[in-house]
Amino acid sequence: MYKILLMIALFLCPTWAQAELRIDVSGAQSEPLPIAIPYFSNQTLNADLSTKITDVITADLERSGLFRLVNRDAYIQNLTGVDTRPIFTDWQAIKAAALVQGDIRQMPNGNITVSFRLWDIFNQTQMVAKSLTTTEDSWRRIAHIIADNIYERITGETGYFDSSIVFISESGNQKNRVKRLTIMDQDGENLRYLSNGKSMVLTPRFSPNMKQITYFSYQNGKPQVYLMDIQSGTSELIGHFPGMTFAPRFSPDGKKLIMSMARNGNSDIYTYDLKTKKQTQITKHLAIDTSPSFSPDGKRIVFNSDRGGTSQLYTMNADGSSVQRISFGKGTYSTPVWSPRGDYIAFTNIRDGQFNIGIMHPDGSAERMIATGWLVEAPTWAPNGRVLMFFRQTPSDNWGDKGTSQLYSIDITGHNEQLIPTPQDASDPTWSPLLH
Amino acid sequence: MLKQLLTVVCAFGLLTACASKEQGADLYGNGKGGWNNDVNIMELDATGITKKFNKETTPVVYFAFNSSSLDASAKAALKEQIAWLKANPTALIVIEGRCDERGTREYNLALGERRANVARSYMVANGIAADRIKTISYGKEKPVVSGSNEEAWAKNRNATTVAY
């Protein structure tokens, strides 16, 4: 897991304590930062709200692998509100490096306001102080935004807790899987089904503004790419392509889709302009060219192609020029996805009968496998480009049962693999941008 | 079979408004379209033509791992299918391309399409009119044989011809 430079040392060597509380997420695994998060004081009519909000903040931070909650039974000072001054020696005594205090108030219109402060216990300084207001039923978002604020202030990285996942829920026998478009918060809560499972759907991807999902479906009998408006639930067929369209993704500006079209046994990459409805052919090769993904600046595209004999990763300019192979390791490479930070490309690698999730720089250097399994596939980036989600399958028995498919997240360091709980089997996750 | 199946699906589709709107039924299912009324759609049995074709030819050809090349037994099976199609000139076919589960989803959709089209091209080169043949790829999504072992994978790497 991410390396935590400072704080443990801070306890042991008080003379270092002028350095600000900070976690360095770029290095190797280290001990998580001890953080105290007493239950926020609650002045609303909803007695559960404090437990619910404080627990979500705590769970987000702990799941990141960077933080460890200091046991609440050990707390000495009883903080009665967000404006109670911490007695720092009380928190130092229980070895908390950071403290979060907060309160929840009800507004006259029924909305709730959550105020919180993040303290550096050893420097006795305030690191963040904010108040957030929303409708009571949006309390989860407030909790995730607070967790993002804490994560951001201490790591210097963008957070990723206030975000959603769109994925495929799977159920039933291997030969007759029911697959449904599903959306949920990144922690598995707030799950909603967007399709009823009567037609097979695959590979859903969010638009950058989170209003739409592009996906692949056999609805209407023909395998094609569709665009769904999340709010209304209506979907439309994309383009007038003479063959199967598949593997869709949005361009970073949200104006275009990029996808493959297969015709007469040949798959090439196309873009589709959502406004002008113009389709443009980007690759023209007898090989299978698919799984395209734009760089965050929209200038380059990474994709996989078997033009060299086996499936490998290539980059090219947005117009299809300047094609460069970037994967040269053992086995085959596919499903490349460009990090939102631009610094890495995540992919699926198949070698020696095992599947791996790996990352490499866009020039192909610094390749590293970070997760492995009988079948792991389809990496997707957290909004901060420091965590990946993917799905892992286990083999089916000879009756097509018992096989499982589940979502996992992992840091790009290869540490802190976490199962994302879903009510049914799950596959093809796509992580949304940060919502706030 | 496909045509009839589609007819049935479309007929039900009319009852429930428009088929493309089935997305989102659970979330937004309270509208006028009657989305809360379950329609039980059953697949029809293979038609007489499908059964006859399956009885009189070898309807499935198999491929090696990650390959779309026709070996001798695949060509022999396709030759039987071609002869049958020549003897039954009104029959139409759909060739379904499939892959084993040991590849990624998107790549396998492309590979399944390529396998179906290799079979199609072989038929067209041997005198079957191109407009009698449709293709569809199921990638690794609709295996015909259960199991996660070599035996099952070998059977799931196929191009299956369905006559109707």
Side-chain angles (χ1 to χ4, degrees):
Chain A
M1 152 62 5
Y2 294 152
K3 185 174 187 179
I4 297 166
L5 283 182
L6 50 351
M7 53 301 148
I8 306 298
L10 293 185
F11 295 112
L12 307 175
C13 311
T15 50
W16 294 3
Q18 55 268 38
E20 197 190 39
L21 192 57
R22 189 157 194 88
I23 300 175
D24 178 355
V25 300
S26 63
Q29 185 166 25
S30 188
E31 287 299 306
L33 178 88
I35 188 167
I37 316 177
Y39 283 113
F40 288 10
S41 68
N42 184 7
Q43 290 143 39
T44 71
L45 300 174
N46 184 343
D48 296 340
L49 212 49
S50 165
T51 326
K52 288 194 311 202
I53 289 176
T54 317
D55 282 347
V56 168
I57 297 169
T58 307
D60 278 349
L61 293 174
E62 287 209 301
R63 220 173 36 254
S64 78
L66 300 180
F67 298 88
R68 175 180 63 76
L69 179 72
V70 178
N71 191 335
R72 293 197 174 97
D73 296 338
Y75 299 174
I76 301 162
Q77 184 186 12
N78 179 25
L79 291 164
T80 51
V82 76
D83 294 327
T84 312
R85 182 90 183 159
I87 302 165
F88 294 103
T89 49
D90 280 1
W91 300 98
Q92 286 164 1
I94 58 167
K95 300 203 179 344
L99 165 69
V100 182
Q101 67 175 147
D103 63 26
I104 309 164
R105 271 165 288 185
Q106 199 114 37
M107 299 290 101
N109 65 359
N111 282 356
I112 54 163
T113 294
V114 183
S115 307
F116 77 100
R117 297 177 197 276
L118 170 67
W119 295 93
D120 175 338
I121 292 298
F122 284 86
N123 286 313
Q124 310 194 355
T125 50
Q126 181 178 287
M127 299 181 80
V128 189
K130 279 190 185 168
S131 121
L132 303 92
T133 302
T134 187
T135 55
E136 188 174 326
D137 59 4
S138 298
W139 63 269
R140 280 188 175 279
R141 283 209 59 203
I142 281 199
H144 292 311
I145 293 169
I146 291 173
D148 277 330
N149 270 278
I150 295 165
Y151 177 96
E152 285 167 13
R153 189 63 182 81
I154 293 184
T155 65
E157 303 275 339
T158 312
Y160 59 92
F161 304 122
D162 182 28
S163 59
S164 299
I165 309 291
V166 64
F167 66 102
I168 301 296
S169 288
E170 299 194 11
S171 57
N173 186 274
Q174 188 188 23
K175 280 165 71 177
N176 206 3
R177 286 294 257 186
V178 175
K179 295 180 180 166
R180 304 174 74 183
L181 279 180
T182 314
I183 193 169
M184 65 183 183
D185 296 351
Q186 53 80 27
D187 58 357
E189 299 293 334
N190 266 335
L191 182 132
R192 290 162 290 156
Y193 295 104
L194 300 177
S195 77
N196 59 21
K198 283 184 180 157
S199 30
M200 191 194 295
V201 288
L202 302 171
T203 63
R205 316 290 184 205
F206 278 119
S207 65
N209 69 6
M210 292 283 299
K211 293 199 160 96
Q212 294 165 311
I213 293 167
T214 182
Y215 63 100
F216 168 88
S217 170
Y218 289 86
Q219 66 196 70
N220 304 327
K222 216 176 140 194
Q224 301 273 249
V225 166
Y226 288 82
L227 185 66
M228 175 188 279
D229 180 80
I230 299 175
Q231 195 65 43
S232 68
T234 55
S235 58
E236 58 173 301
L237 176 67
I238 287 301
H240 299 279
F241 291 93
M244 170 175 74
T245 47
F246 61 109
R249 281 183 195 279
F250 281 87
S251 61
D253 62 9
K255 290 178 179 162
K256 281 188 248 177
L257 297 181
I258 188 162
M259 64 186 98
S260 284
M261 196 237 330
R263 198 185 182 196
N264 300 329
N266 174 32
S267 295
D268 281 316
I269 292 167
Y270 289 74
T271 54
Y272 177 83
D273 189 304
L274 290 164
K275 200 168 168 194
T276 65
K277 305 196 184 298
K278 194 180 151 219
Q279 52 206 48
T280 309
Q281 184 165 4
I282 306 294
T283 66
K284 196 167 188 174
H285 199 287
L286 285 173
I288 290 174
D289 294 341
T290 190
S291 301
S293 166
F294 274 104
S295 62
D297 63 7
K299 289 181 179 157
R300 300 278 291 171
I301 295 163
V302 63
F303 64 104
N304 60 258
S305 172
D306 64 357
R307 58 184 64 191
T310 61
S311 183
Q312 298 293 336
L313 306 185
Y314 295 79
T315 57
M316 62 185 170
N317 289 334
D319 65 1
S321 63
S322 183
V323 177
Q324 258 179 284
R325 178 169 165 180
I326 60 164
S327 65
F328 294 95
K330 200 174 171 192
T332 62
Y333 291 75
S334 44
T335 72
V337 197
W338 217 302
S339 155
R341 295 165 70 118
D343 55 352
Y344 284 108
I345 287 165
F347 55 81
T348 306
N349 165 265
I350 308 173
R351 63 172 66 151
D352 304 327
Q354 288 281 110
F355 282 54
N356 305 290
I357 300 294
I359 57 171
M360 61 172 66
H361 290 313
D363 64 1
S365 65
E367 174 183 307
R368 209 164 63 224
M369 300 302 171
I370 62 171
T372 189
W374 179 78
L375 192 153
V376 287
E377 185 181 337
T380 179
W381 290 95
N384 70 354
R386 286 294 169 256
V387 180
L388 287 168
M389 195 175 289
F390 59 94
F391 74 91
R392 168 175 281 134
Q393 279 182 20
T394 59
S396 298
D397 64 17
N398 288 347
W399 293 269
D401 298 320
K402 304 257 165 65
T404 61
S405 185
Q406 293 185 290
L407 306 184
Y408 290 83
S409 66
I410 192 165
D411 297 348
I412 58 171
T413 55
H415 298 294
N416 194 35
E417 187 176 300
Q418 301 266 351
L419 172 71
I420 310 297
T422 47
Q424 295 181 309
D425 276 5
S427 65
D428 283 356
T430 299
W431 213 316
S432 79
L434 210 52
L435 300 176
H436 63 266
Chain B
M1 179 184 96
L2 187 67
K3 208 176 203 174
Q4 298 212 357
L5 213 159
L6 285 178
T7 312
V8 173
V9 172
C10 288
F12 280 110
L14 285 175
L15 292 177
T16 56
C18 154
S20 71
K21 271 201 169 176
E22 79 170 6
Q23 303 300 326
D26 288 62
L27 239 194
Y28 308 102
N30 310 317
K32 294 169 189 158
W35 294 110
N36 286 339
N37 305 327
D38 248 6
V39 175
N40 190 18
I41 302 178
M42 303 230 317
E43 298 215 9
L44 293 182
D45 288 330
T47 65
I49 293 175
T50 310
K51 277 184 190 156
K52 187 168 173 333
F53 179 82
N54 289 350
K55 204 167 138 192
E56 294 170 6
T57 72
T58 306
V60 188
V61 300
Y62 299 100
F63 297 89
F65 176 68
N66 205 13
S67 163
S68 52
S69 304
L70 298 171
D71 63 14
S73 68
K75 283 180 183 167
L78 288 176
K79 277 179 183 149
E80 284 178 28
Q81 297 181 23
I82 290 162
W84 190 94
L85 287 168
K86 285 178 177 168
N88 296 271
T90 58
L92 306 174
I93 56 170
V94 180
I95 306 177
E96 303 171 343
R98 287 189 178 78
C99 303
D100 65 37
E101 61 188 348
R102 303 307 285 159
T104 50
R105 250 173 194 169
E106 293 174 338
Y107 181 80
N108 278 4
L109 284 171
L111 182 58
E113 201 267 351
R114 189 193 260 168
R115 283 177 177 159
N117 274 278
V118 164
R120 179 179 186 270
S121 299
Y122 190 82
M123 289 188 184
V124 172
N126 285 282
I128 304 300
D131 61 8
R132 293 176 69 187
I133 312 172
K134 284 191 168 66
T135 58
I136 189 165
S137 173
Y138 289 112
K140 63 172 175 177
E141 310 308 320
K142 277 189 174 273
V144 288
V145 173
S146 297
S148 294
N149 52 61
E150 292 291 348
E151 202 180 314
W153 296 335
K155 294 206 171 108
N156 289 326
R157 296 190 292 261
N158 69 59
T160 303
T161 304
V162 180
Y164 61 97

